[in-house]
């Protein structure tokens, strides 16, 4: 199934006037048809510019043979401050909902899973990809329902069971597609990864059944790391600053919850919170780096750039919550 290209979110930012859009040449080996089973057409990238502090040299257009514009420059553009504020808002929602229990946590979790599914497909150049996004989101919804139906001792089993079922379903859906083999492989890769990410995001819901304080501290650490990473300083400096800030946020959050609330591996209270914050902050940096790749559009930054820092931190938060229980 094919769908029109997305022609809006790749528009470059200009402070005055406007430029006509330039044609682009797809990279060698890039599928030109819609991947089977996802309802998406990989759009051709348009010219991009860095949109945040600490950005490096942005992609530009240079005319190649025949006058066709080609992308040159650095393909990694950090999301910047606006997506960081979006991540912070979601993190605060998780931190506030965690002490209220798992049913309260479902509300921000559903938003995270929806943005994760949409952002991952757009990051892979597949849009609108309605079927793939819907399938990935339904996988996350199934994981949420399974976790709400079981007690704390069976959360890992519930997550693995949901993941196995949806992996098989995604594979079967792709086998029914009659597109070109390379397009089916492209769609299968994106579909499987999006499904895994939305199911893993439910790790926050599983963690809150063990130790809610860990969820609060981990979410606060991710929000702090995202905001500090957007500070207009050189990349290595902001990375170190983000990790330090995440560790400090984890320490403070655990301290407010009580020194006895979190303990593992001989660590307790503030020390355990600092380790938790640093791990969650490291996961957030990986998510931000992933969302920065390949001349992303504004829509990529405002979906994948917002969601991936929290989504990739969910498994670490869940593992530490089980150790602290």
């Amino acid at each position: 199934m094919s769908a029109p290209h997305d022609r809006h979110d790749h528009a470059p930012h200009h402070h005055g006037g406007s430029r006509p859009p330039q044609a682009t040449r797809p990279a060698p080996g890039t599928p030109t048809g819609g991947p089977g089973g996802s309802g998406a057409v990989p759009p051709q990238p348009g010219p991009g510019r860095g949109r945040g502090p600490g950005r490096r040299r942005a992609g530009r257009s240079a005319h190649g043979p025949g006058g066709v514009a080609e992308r040159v420059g650095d393909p990694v553009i950090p999301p910047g401050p606006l997506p960081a504020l979006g991540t912070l808002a979601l993190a605060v929602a998780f931190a506030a909902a965690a002490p209220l229990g798992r049913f309260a946590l479902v509300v921000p979790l559903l938003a995270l899973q929806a943005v994760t599914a949409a952002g991952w497909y757009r990051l892979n150049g597949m849009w609108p990809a309605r079927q793939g996004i819907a399938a990935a989101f339904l996988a996350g919804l199934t994981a949420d329902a399974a976790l709400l139906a079981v007690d704390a001792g069976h959360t890992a089993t519930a997550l693995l069971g949901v993941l196995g079922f949806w992996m098989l379903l995604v594979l079967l859906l792709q086998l029914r597609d009659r597109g070109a083999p390379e397009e089916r492989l492209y769609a299968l890769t994106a579909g499987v990864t999006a499904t895994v990410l939305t199911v893993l995001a439910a790790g926050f819901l599983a963690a809150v059944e063990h130790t809610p304080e860990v969820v609060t501290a981990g979410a606060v650490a991710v929000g702090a790391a995202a905001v500090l990473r957007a500070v207009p300083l050189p990349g290595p400096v902001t990375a170190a600053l983000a990790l330090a800030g995440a560790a400090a946020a984890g320490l403070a959050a655990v301290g407010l919850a009580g020194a006895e609330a979190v303990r593992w591996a001989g660590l307790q209270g503030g020390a355990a919170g600092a380790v938790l914050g640093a791990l969650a902050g490291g996961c957030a940096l990986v998510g931000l780096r992933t969302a920065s790749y390949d001349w992303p559009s504004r829509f990529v930054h405002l979906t994948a750039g917002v969601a991936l820092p929290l989504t990739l931190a969910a498994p670490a938060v869940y593992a530490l919550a089980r150790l602290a229980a």
Side-chain angles (χ1 to χ4, degrees):
M1 180 183 296
S2 298
H5 294 284
D6 179 17
R7 302 181 184 275
H8 303 290
D9 51 288
H10 284 283
H13 293 248
H14 300 296
H15 296 288
S18 61
R19 297 179 185 175
Q22 296 176 324
T24 58
R25 173 184 299 172
T30 302
T32 55
S38 64
V41 176
Q44 306 302 327
R49 290 184 66 172
R51 288 177 293 279
R55 64 178 179 251
R56 287 184 277 177
R57 186 165 59 97
R60 304 189 301 274
S61 293
H63 290 285
V68 179
E70 295 178 331
R71 262 302 178 57
V72 295
D74 193 342
V76 177
I77 305 172
L82 185 58
L85 292 177
T87 302
L88 179 62
L90 262 181
V92 169
F94 271 89
L100 303 178
R102 54 185 184 172
F103 287 98
L105 195 68
V106 167
V107 177
L109 177 58
L110 289 176
L112 176 65
Q113 289 169 323
V115 177
T116 297
W120 187 258
Y121 272 97
R122 194 62 185 91
L123 182 62
N124 282 270
M126 301 169 68
W127 190 255
R130 298 181 184 93
Q131 296 178 24
I133 293 172
F137 178 71
L138 285 175
L141 191 62
T142 305
D144 300 342
L147 290 173
L148 292 174
V150 302
D151 56 31
H154 298 88
T155 53
T157 304
L159 285 175
L160 290 175
V162 170
L163 194 58
F165 171 80
W166 278 94
M167 290 298 95
L168 179 60
L169 183 59
V170 169
L171 180 59
L172 291 176
L173 289 175
Q174 294 303 323
L175 289 176
R176 294 179 63 251
D177 182 35
R178 302 192 180 188
E182 63 274 11
E183 293 178 1
R184 284 187 290 171
L185 180 61
Y186 187 58
L188 177 63
T189 303
V192 167
T193 307
T195 300
V196 170
L197 288 173
T198 55
V199 171
L200 288 182
F204 284 113
L205 187 59
V208 81
E209 298 189 29
H210 293 280
T211 314
E213 295 83 3
V214 170
V215 177
T216 299
V220 169
V222 170
V227 170
L228 292 173
R229 183 62 166 150
V231 172
L233 291 172
V237 175
T238 59
L241 185 63
L243 285 177
L251 187 153
V254 170
L256 290 175
E260 302 293 329
V262 178
R263 66 174 73 188
W264 60 76
L267 300 175
Q268 179 178 324
V275 172
L276 165 62
L279 288 175
C283 294
L285 292 182
V286 173
L288 287 170
R289 177 72 178 187
T290 303
S292 303
Y293 183 66
D294 196 19
W295 288 289
S297 65
R298 285 172 291 177
F299 190 78
V300 171
H301 280 162
L302 292 174
T303 51
V306 170
L308 287 184
L310 273 167
T311 299
L312 294 187
V317 170
Y318 171 63
L320 293 176
R322 292 208 63 168
L323 288 175

